[in-house]
Amino acid sequence: MIEMENVTAGYGKQEILHDVGLEIPGKGITTLIGANGSGKSTLLRVILGFLPLWNGTVKIDGILTKNLSSAEMARKIAYLPQGKDVPDITAERMVLHGRFPYLSYPRRYRERDLEIVERAMGQMGILSLGGKHMSELSGGMRQKVYIAMALAQQAGIIVMDEPTTYLDIGQQLKFAGMMRGLAEEGKTVVLVLHDILLALKISDRIAAMEEGRVLAAGTPEEILRSGVIRKLYGVDVKSHRTGAGEQFYYDISGETLSDGGAREGNLLG
């Protein structure tokens, strides 16, 4: 569980987060949504301890993050940033990086580390890619390598900033399945997503941000009822229950095109 209370933070003299309070429950998926510049990535940096607090507290599993060493933080939280560089190493070496928090210097991998890496790569279905260089892999395959690295880190919390960037629709659906699988295994997954329909579909809880504040937080159904999506994006999202579960879609009926024509029907998500 992550608990933020009265959190204020920023860069230089510019305050970005204003008195933020947010609770992220354990063992599920919590997604941050909001327009560009709303403070989502800054909030992640505060949780991770990369950005100092100006005021307030952040706790992980009841422990103040300011009382945790960098190694202790790395064992609690695995982080996949947005726009990752593609290193000139093999997939297996990339996944081995997840074991760094458990190694002394100079780093020497133990048999246990190799076993954990093999298990993580097997879980992601990428054992056959171990000897391939990261630059040879597609965006979807690289994403699986990064997730395997996070699994090898054996952290209870996995934080990802815009993880679906550059993924096509098929890869996004596979990614959604992977995230649900991690949550069902007991991981706490924290995502930043711009795809509202995907966020509604896979999340247990959603926090909507605007100008450094949390406007609303709750289940996808509560967020829909709150009207905050229209406030943030100027669009309506509705849901429809089917045999495959709850389906979300943009309601664009009655909207007006720039040429004056009227839109009809709905765009399914």
Side-chain angles (χ1 to χ4, degrees):
M1 174 183 288
I2 301 171
E3 300 167 275
M4 308 183 72
E5 187 173 340
N6 305 122
V7 167
T8 300
Y11 305 93
K13 295 182 179 180
Q14 184 180 6
E15 185 176 307
I16 303 296
L17 300 180
H18 315 294
D19 198 30
V20 170
L22 180 65
E23 183 176 298
I24 298 175
K27 301 180 181 180
I29 300 174
T30 296
T31 302
L32 307 179
I33 64 171
N36 288 332
S38 60
K40 304 182 301 296
S41 295
T42 300
L43 188 96
L44 293 188
R45 291 179 62 82
V46 166
I47 291 172
L48 292 156
F50 297 164
L51 190 65
L53 294 173
W54 292 5
N55 188 48
T57 60
V58 179
K59 294 180 181 179
I60 297 176
D61 297 331
I63 304 172
L64 290 169
T65 54
K66 67 179 183 180
N67 294 334
L68 294 169
S69 68
S70 57
E72 289 171 326
M73 283 289 287
R75 292 169 192 159
K76 285 185 172 292
I77 302 183
Y79 175 48
L80 278 68
Q82 182 182 7
K84 299 174 286 296
D85 293 331
V86 181
D88 187 26
I89 60 174
T90 65
E92 183 181 32
R93 298 296 295 182
M94 190 76 248
V95 179
L96 277 165
H97 283 191
R99 300 305 300 159
F100 282 6
Y102 302 91
L103 304 176
S104 57
Y105 189 83
R107 298 187 180 102
R108 291 189 177 89
Y109 297 113
R110 304 154 296 182
E111 184 176 346
R112 170 174 167 75
D113 298 314
L114 298 176
E115 290 172 352
I116 290 171
V117 164
E118 182 178 9
R119 185 162 61 247
M121 294 182 72
Q123 191 171 346
M124 287 293 103
I126 57 171
L127 275 173
S128 62
L129 304 179
K132 288 187 175 292
H133 278 249
M134 294 291 287
S135 59
E136 300 177 76
L137 305 179
S138 68
M141 288 297 102
R142 283 201 297 269
Q143 195 67 283
K144 287 188 175 184
V145 173
Y146 291 127
I147 295 172
M149 181 180 68
L151 293 178
Q153 196 169 326
Q154 293 191 313
I157 302 170
I158 299 177
V159 174
M160 302 186 192
D161 193 356
E162 289 295 340
T164 59
T165 302
Y166 309 124
L167 298 185
D168 62 35
I169 185 64
Q171 293 170 335
Q172 288 182 27
L173 292 174
K174 291 177 182 177
F175 170 82
M178 286 189 287
M179 294 305 99
R180 286 288 0 142
L182 292 177
E184 288 166 6
E185 291 170 12
K187 298 289 186 182
T188 300
V189 180
V190 183
L191 306 173
V192 167
L193 292 177
H194 276 298
D195 188 328
I196 304 307
L197 299 183
L198 182 61
L200 290 165
K201 182 66 178 176
I202 71 173
S203 304
D204 297 296
R205 289 182 64 80
I206 293 175
M209 296 190 67
E210 182 181 52
E211 296 182 351
R213 294 180 170 85
V214 175
L215 295 185
T219 65
E221 292 76 16
E222 289 168 340
I223 291 297
L224 276 184
R225 290 197 301 269
S226 73
V228 72
I229 291 177
R230 167 159 281 281
K231 174 176 172 57
L232 291 177
Y233 302 102
V235 297
D236 284 321
V237 175
K238 294 187 177 180
S239 64
H240 177 67
R241 185 166 295 280
T242 70
E246 199 78 9
Q247 303 299 314
F248 301 93
Y249 60 93
Y250 293 116
D251 180 8
I252 59 173
S253 58
E255 293 290 330
T256 302
L257 294 170
S258 58
D259 63 0
R263 292 178 185 257
E264 295 182 356
N266 295 321
L267 175 65
L268 295 180

